[in-house]
Amino acid sequence: MKVQSLSVCVPSGCINKCRFCVSHMRRQEGLYKNTIETWGYAYADVVDYAKRLAFARDNGCNIAMLTGEGEPTLNMNFLHYFSDVNSRLQSPFRWIEIQTSGTALDKDKLVGLRREVGVNTISLSVSALDDDINAEYNRTPEKYKVNIKELCRLIKDFDFNLRLSLNLTNALHSFSPVQILERAKCLGADQVTFRVLYTSGKRTEEDEWIKCNQLDPKKVVEIGEYIVKEGKPLEILPYGAVKYSIDGLSVVLDGDCMSTEPKEVMRYLILRPDCRLYSKWDDKASLIF
């Protein structure tokens, strides 16, 4: 079994109520027990959790992505727990990333992520390059609205790698691929991932919003063609996407961010707070062990 990365599901709430949120689409509350916090970080959980982390490492997985169905930075206690268990592995994860919308991410948390959790790369997910539109699409309360430019500056000040994960909404319609990448460079990004929005096919409120507000497929094709024409191929990622170098940026167009297509190589394993590994976010039957 070959695995590209391990998605570590961090149990947490979320300040946002993103109009396209896949977690809201799945509506799987109660399907996965949070045994770690329920049992107070008991020894048995540490053993089970470490066993799954080690399994991922044994199968060639080098990347631990701290993510979840909420905002992972809202549960720093759990992140410290992960770090503690990981540090005790015979072969711990050294390549650690975190996916965040940036809400409530401040200097203190950045210090903790860098020095205590061992995060190397912050993947900042945005729905627009404009603060107000980003907040509107993410339905972020006014007091938590993300100042994208300032947050990116802070992330770079603390010497993280910065990946700008752009959800392809219609807010990008008026931007050319060149303008988007120029803006990303101005924000200090090292990497850019263009993320095609995912629909569940269940006619949820989020599905309907995506149908009306996703970036025009013609613009997505335009972005893809620009990347191929202007970029220098670096490598083929295990799940099939190609990473390109464009003007010093690492660029990927991700059309399968939910790993919905069956592939010989697993895009990721998911370690949930029930101390079990799964291969799909939206299917409990994908339990591995």
Side-chain angles (χ1 to χ4, degrees):
M1 180 188 299
K2 291 183 179 180
V3 183
Q4 186 202 8
S5 68
L6 174 68
S7 290
V8 177
C9 184
V10 179
S12 63
C14 193
I15 293 172
N16 296 325
K17 294 182 179 179
C18 298
R19 299 181 185 277
F20 50 85
C21 180
V22 294
S23 296
H24 291 166
M25 289 185 219
R26 291 192 292 264
R27 307 187 195 285
Q28 294 180 319
E29 294 85 357
L31 285 183
Y32 304 91
K33 294 181 180 178
N34 180 1
T35 58
I36 293 175
E37 291 186 318
T38 301
W39 294 349
Y41 300 94
Y43 174 75
D45 285 331
V46 174
V47 173
D48 286 346
Y49 207 73
K51 186 184 298 183
R52 271 67 176 188
L53 288 173
F55 176 84
R57 294 288 289 124
D58 291 345
N59 283 276
C61 180
N62 295 317
I63 307 171
M65 170 63 82
L66 303 170
T67 182
E69 296 178 324
E71 170 54 58
T73 62
L74 293 179
N75 195 343
M76 295 298 292
N77 286 339
F78 188 94
L79 296 179
H80 290 136
Y81 167 82
F82 159 80
S83 178
D84 182 58
V85 177
N86 180 53
S87 68
R88 301 184 191 194
L89 296 179
Q90 183 176 355
S91 178
F93 284 92
R94 307 184 193 282
W95 184 345
I96 302 173
E97 305 187 352
I98 191 165
Q99 182 76 44
T100 177
S101 67
T103 52
L105 184 57
D106 55 22
K107 290 182 179 180
D108 290 340
K109 287 182 179 178
L110 287 170
V111 170
L113 292 174
R114 187 84 170 105
R115 298 179 182 174
E116 299 168 31
V117 184
V119 171
N120 320 111
T121 298
I122 292 183
S123 180
L124 180 63
S125 179
V126 297
S127 308
L129 295 173
D130 176 88
D131 294 348
D132 292 332
I133 299 176
N134 182 58
E136 178 189 347
Y137 283 10
N138 292 354
R139 286 194 285 192
T140 307
E142 180 64 28
K143 66 181 290 188
Y144 292 107
K145 185 168 75 172
V146 176
N147 183 322
I148 298 172
K149 182 178 180 180
E150 177 62 17
L151 181 56
C152 288
R153 184 191 66 78
L154 275 176
I155 290 170
K156 295 304 295 181
D157 282 351
F158 283 95
D159 203 28
F160 290 97
N161 300 320
L162 171 60
R163 178 184 306 121
L164 205 59
S165 293
L166 295 171
N167 297 308
L168 293 182
T169 69
N170 56 10
L172 297 172
H173 182 76
S174 62
F175 293 86
S176 70
V178 173
Q179 290 172 322
I180 294 172
L181 294 181
E182 285 180 348
R183 176 62 175 159
K185 286 200 72 171
C186 289
L187 291 171
D190 304 288
Q191 304 169 333
V192 176
T193 296
F194 293 95
R195 301 174 68 188
V196 178
L197 294 181
Y198 164 84
T199 57
S200 69
K202 298 178 182 178
R203 299 183 179 179
T204 65
E205 177 184 338
E206 292 78 17
D207 284 333
E208 296 306 310
W209 188 91
I210 289 171
K211 289 178 183 178
C212 296
N213 296 277
Q214 64 186 341
L215 187 62
D216 188 323
K218 292 180 181 178
K219 289 288 292 186
V220 177
V221 170
E222 179 187 340
I223 291 171
E225 290 177 344
Y226 175 82
I227 292 171
V228 172
K229 180 181 177 182
E230 300 297 330
K232 179 179 75 174
L234 295 175
E235 62 253 8
I236 298 176
L237 300 175
Y239 60 93
V242 181
K243 182 164 68 174
Y244 290 87
S245 170
I246 302 178
D247 195 23
L249 285 173
S250 167
V251 182
V252 173
L253 176 60
D254 186 354
D256 188 25
C257 64
M258 287 296 295
S259 189
T260 56
E261 295 296 327
K263 301 177 180 71
E264 182 178 348
V265 174
M266 283 192 180
R267 174 162 185 177
Y268 48 64
L269 295 176
I270 302 157
L271 178 54
R272 288 187 176 271
D274 63 357
C275 298
R276 287 170 171 78
L277 283 171
Y278 299 84
S279 62
K280 300 291 182 185
W281 279 103
D282 56 357
D283 195 339
K284 195 175 183 181
S286 69
L287 172 70
I288 296 174
F289 85 104

